[in-house]
Amino acid sequence: MPLSLADRATYLAYDPGIAPAEGGLPGLSVLKNVVNSINLFGIIAVVGALAVSLAVWAWGHHSGGHQAEANGKKGATVAAGAALGLGAANGIVMFFSTLGSQVK
């Protein structure tokens, strides 16, 4: 007995049959290289930001500039958080992707 349109729509809503697969579109390797390059650029920028922030923190501390010292601390904290995020990006995405694929 064939399924009615409503039954087919209900079945499709529960199991669309879609899963990530490599090789489906051309240019996937190029896209991966671009994203890897963006990640590397971000890490290099964070190293520079951390160096500048630490220098501002030290300068503010030794010159008595409390605002500069606070801004240097803030910048160092933000740079460290950005480095953590950039380094953990693959793991974070993989964790939530795996978690999402377990939803039934």
Side-chain angles (χ1 to χ4, degrees):
M1 174 174 160
L3 294 174
S4 69
L5 181 60
D7 289 337
R8 281 187 271 173
T10 303
Y11 177 75
L12 184 61
Y14 288 116
D15 184 18
I18 297 172
E22 283 195 41
L25 292 174
L28 185 60
S29 63
V30 173
L31 182 60
K32 285 181 182 180
N33 285 335
V34 168
V35 171
N36 287 338
S37 297
I38 291 170
N39 196 358
L40 176 63
F41 179 77
I43 289 172
I44 291 169
V46 165
V47 169
L50 183 60
V52 169
S53 296
L54 292 175
V56 169
W57 184 357
W59 175 75
H61 177 74
H62 290 293
S63 68
H66 300 293
Q67 186 70 29
E69 184 179 1
N71 286 337
K73 287 180 187 178
K74 216 181 324 182
T77 303
V78 169
L84 178 67
L86 287 168
N90 284 336
I92 292 169
V93 170
M94 182 61 72
F95 172 77
F96 284 108
S97 177
T98 302
L99 190 64
S101 68
Q102 295 174 1
V103 174
K104 299 288 179 186

